[in-house]
Amino acid sequence: MIELLPYVRDVPDFPKPGILFKDITPLLADAAAFKLCVATLAKPYRDARLDAICAIESRGFIFGAALARELAVGFVPIRKPGKLPSRTIGADYALEYGSDRLEIHADALAPGARVALVDDVIATGGTLSAARALIGLLGAELIAASVVIELAFLNARANWPAPVPLHALIRYS
């Protein structure tokens, strides 16, 4: 989506040397760009009969909450360890620059709930895969996943399971 490209800036060596971070704060700061971003994220889900949007801490929350409001569905946070106050289940995953863990409330989704998963960026795919696993452990149905930015050169799609669609607004090859 070419209209959003000017609102993403490169930050070299963040969070570690050798990483070229894609910074979405200019996109968030511009009301028209953010509105376009959320409206475009919503398109694949307008007729999907979703029950909830699941989003990944922390920047995914920005887009996930806005998308849940846009679609008039619930919002379910998927967080880093120790951040949720009730009983949780968790999944470990590898990042392109380390490892981490995600958790979700054990009662966050009813079995059979239709959900979409949202995050800001997909790099190697570990974070989205861990979130997908958590949704599955709760017995919910993942309809699709969406990201604002896909770092396609890291080939995360090769590990993304068919037939669950993965939507990206901006792809860096």
Side-chain angles (χ1 to χ4, degrees):
M1 167 150 249
I2 198 69
E3 299 90 349
L4 297 177
L5 281 174
Y7 297 97
V8 178
R9 70 176 157 208
D10 290 344
V11 179
D13 298 321
F14 183 84
K16 293 173 61 167
I19 303 292
L20 181 61
F21 187 80
K22 298 297 184 184
D23 180 17
I24 49 95
T25 56
L27 186 151
L28 299 173
D30 186 280
F34 186 53
K35 181 178 180 178
L36 174 62
C37 181
V38 173
T40 306
L41 284 169
K43 281 182 185 178
Y45 306 111
R46 291 274 180 214
D47 298 318
R49 301 178 333 274
L50 293 178
D51 296 303
I53 298 293
C54 293
I56 301 167
E57 185 171 344
S58 65
R59 291 177 305 271
F61 288 180
I62 298 165
F63 299 103
L67 183 57
R69 183 182 184 282
E70 177 82 11
L71 296 172
V73 299
F75 174 79
V76 175
I78 299 175
R79 302 210 60 190
K80 305 288 181 174
K83 302 287 186 175
L84 293 169
S86 191
R87 189 170 64 86
T88 62
I89 60 171
D92 296 320
Y93 65 99
L95 293 164
E96 65 276 17
Y97 49 84
S99 65
D100 215 334
R101 181 175 178 82
L102 290 177
E103 296 180 342
I104 191 171
H105 274 141
D107 62 355
L109 297 166
R114 294 172 54 85
V115 302
L117 177 59
V118 178
D119 204 2
D120 64 327
V121 174
I122 184 169
T124 61
T127 309
L128 276 181
S129 292
R132 182 188 78 234
L134 292 172
I135 291 166
L137 286 171
L138 294 179
E141 180 184 0
L142 180 60
I143 303 305
S146 293
V147 295
V148 177
I149 297 170
E150 177 182 1
L151 304 178
F153 57 89
L154 293 174
N155 204 26
R157 282 185 189 265
N159 299 317
W160 188 253
V164 177
L166 173 59
H167 306 285
L169 302 189
I170 300 169
R171 293 186 77 218
Y172 291 96
S173 299

